Amino acid sequence: MSARETVLAGIRRSLGVTGGEAPRRFEVERRLAEAPAGIVPQRGQGDLPARVATFRAEAERAQATVAEAAALNDVPAEVARFLREANCPATVRMGTDPRLAALPWPATALDVSIGPSDGRDLNAVSMALVGIAETGTLALVSGADNPTTLNFLPDNAIVVVRREDVVADYEAAFARLRAVYGKGGAPRALNFITGPSRSADIEQTLLLGAHGPRRLHIVIAG
């Protein structure tokens, strides 16, 4: 018996069940099939303008910076502005996301490279699956389109989220994931990112960039 089987057998003994009971199996299968939502907080609810306003307020409260672009094509100019004003090199790395690849990067002075980060990149651009208004959180999926390394290794993480992709809560984010990829087809990792990396482990002194990017800049586009 493996360690996993030993643990599960102990749980079943304490509950007085075998795991083969028809009502229990039916309930598990029903919940997997229907994916019912639990209690959902009201904070992120509302129409799209309300969700975007809440998302922005919560993201800024978590020490991210937020800018809005009228259209996706305006994103490169906003990225260049952010890096210039932050006195950062005019270089960015991004994945193969076709939405980012189609943008007018040559119209800027940015030097764009493609692929995952090896830890030596200072700036990266990724595309979020959704933004979550409830907590100002970004949901990003892994893959060649948006490599996970770009979210955690560079000093400056720039994440683009389409305006219409700002959802109310985590339940809506998981619903979008299932709608886009289908059950069983989701990418290997789904990362939730709220603000830049931070730690206050040492003497309760807040330090940004402790385990990841020092800056998180969000561009809401559209």
Side-chain angles (χ1 to χ4, degrees):
M1 182 178 289
S2 68
R4 178 178 183 273
E5 291 168 336
T6 300
V7 170
L8 292 176
I11 294 172
R12 293 191 187 102
R13 282 196 303 272
S14 67
L15 294 174
V17 299
T18 66
E21 293 84 355
R24 295 175 64 85
R25 298 186 69 86
F26 172 79
E27 181 62 19
V28 170
E29 291 168 2
R30 184 190 69 82
R31 288 188 64 85
L32 288 174
E34 298 177 5
I39 297 174
V40 177
Q42 287 295 311
R43 180 167 57 191
Q45 307 303 312
D47 59 11
L48 182 57
R51 295 198 303 271
V52 170
T54 303
F55 172 76
R56 179 166 190 160
E58 293 298 319
E60 291 174 341
R61 193 158 70 91
Q63 294 184 294
T65 55
V66 183
E68 297 190 41
L72 273 173
N73 276 351
D74 297 323
V75 166
E78 169 54 30
V79 172
R81 181 206 63 80
F82 168 74
L83 294 176
R84 182 173 61 252
E85 293 185 4
N87 198 28
C88 296
T91 60
V92 292
R93 179 171 285 274
M94 62 186 189
T96 58
D97 192 302
R99 295 165 296 182
L100 293 178
L103 300 184
W105 299 101
T108 71
L110 295 173
D111 180 10
V112 179
S113 54
I114 306 297
S117 175
D118 62 3
R120 291 180 291 181
D121 301 289
L122 289 177
N123 314 307
V125 179
S126 298
M127 194 89 186
L129 175 69
V130 296
I132 302 171
E134 180 184 340
T135 52
T137 298
L138 296 160
L140 297 104
V141 294
S142 62
D145 282 2
N146 294 283
T148 295
T149 52
L150 301 184
N151 304 327
F152 299 108
L153 296 183
D155 248 15
N156 304 294
I158 304 167
V159 180
V160 181
V161 60
R162 297 187 306 174
R163 184 178 177 86
E164 60 265 32
D165 290 336
V166 176
V167 300
D169 43 57
Y170 287 85
E171 287 77 5
F174 282 113
R176 178 68 62 84
L177 183 73
R178 288 191 293 269
V180 172
Y181 295 99
K183 291 189 176 182
R188 183 178 180 88
L190 171 64
N191 296 299
F192 292 110
I193 298 175
T194 309
S197 173
R198 74 198 67 199
S199 175
D201 290 345
I202 301 174
E203 296 183 352
Q204 299 299 298
T205 300
L206 184 64
L207 175 67
L208 295 180
H211 313 294
R214 298 175 189 275
R215 298 184 182 94
L216 173 63
H217 185 59
I218 302 169
V219 184
I220 304 172

